[in-house]
Amino acid sequence: FVGEGPDKQMLQETIEGYGLQNNAVLCEFTKQPFYVFERSNLIALPSTGKEGLPNVLLEALAMEKPCVATRAYGMAEVVVDGKTGYCFPSGDVDALADAIVKIANSSEEEQKQMALNGKEMIFAEHDKAKQFEKILTLIKEKAAKAL
């Protein structure tokens, strides 16, 4: 778990209560999350907020990590069921658990393919330089028509 907030103590107690100290870690918020990705098998973002398309998903997929995320806002744009991970309805804890289990129960080869699919998608479709070029081209086309 990465981040800060009022639930930290409760999460720590829950981890200890279920004996998950070797499987779950609480990390402070960081603007450099790559060390977290390197230690993870998958990234879960059970967001109930209004993030749009969170950078953490783009970063995780670029780092070849399958993802599970809330099926809300722009998240399903990059977390594609069975291809780069799985989405679930916001607030549905059982569906979140099912999505994590689907990845955990996938073969090593299937997980590697999800990881590769995610990385390829991010570099093909979400590269900031390519996005800027598309926007610039669109602006130029619209400006030329207006003249």
Side-chain angles (χ1 to χ4, degrees):
F1 297 92
V2 180
E4 300 169 6
D7 294 331
K8 183 175 182 176
Q9 183 64 35
M10 179 274 299
L11 288 170
Q12 186 65 47
E13 290 171 3
T14 301
I15 289 168
E16 292 170 5
Y18 283 101
L20 297 172
Q21 298 90 323
N22 293 329
N23 302 92
V25 178
L26 295 178
C27 301
E28 298 295 326
F29 172 80
T30 177
K31 291 185 179 185
Q32 301 295 326
F34 305 109
Y35 76 93
V36 176
F37 297 145
E38 290 172 348
R39 297 175 60 189
S40 303
N41 296 328
L42 65 89
I43 302 300
L45 188 63
S47 179
T48 57
K50 296 180 181 178
E51 285 99 351
L53 179 54
N55 281 335
V56 68
L57 290 178
L58 302 176
E59 293 164 348
L61 291 166
M63 294 281 298
E64 298 186 29
K65 299 299 174 183
C67 294
V68 297
T70 304
R71 188 181 313 282
Y73 314 107
M75 294 181 227
E77 180 181 331
V78 294
V79 181
V80 180
D81 285 341
K83 183 175 178 185
T84 62
Y86 293 96
C87 286
F88 57 91
S90 181
D92 188 338
V93 177
D94 291 332
L96 165 60
D98 289 344
I100 292 171
V101 169
K102 280 182 189 177
I103 293 175
N105 286 342
S106 298
S107 70
E108 185 175 333
E109 187 58 38
E110 290 169 323
Q111 289 181 32
K112 284 182 181 178
Q113 188 60 54
M114 272 189 195
L116 182 60
N117 291 343
K119 182 177 183 177
E120 288 175 351
M121 174 194 292
I122 296 308
F123 285 99
E125 300 175 21
H126 295 277
D127 178 86
K128 291 190 187 306
K130 289 179 184 177
Q131 289 177 337
F132 178 77
E133 287 299 322
K134 287 179 185 177
I135 292 169
L136 183 59
T137 299
L138 181 63
I139 291 170
K140 287 178 179 179
E141 288 172 1
K142 296 292 183 185
K145 288 179 183 177
L147 295 177

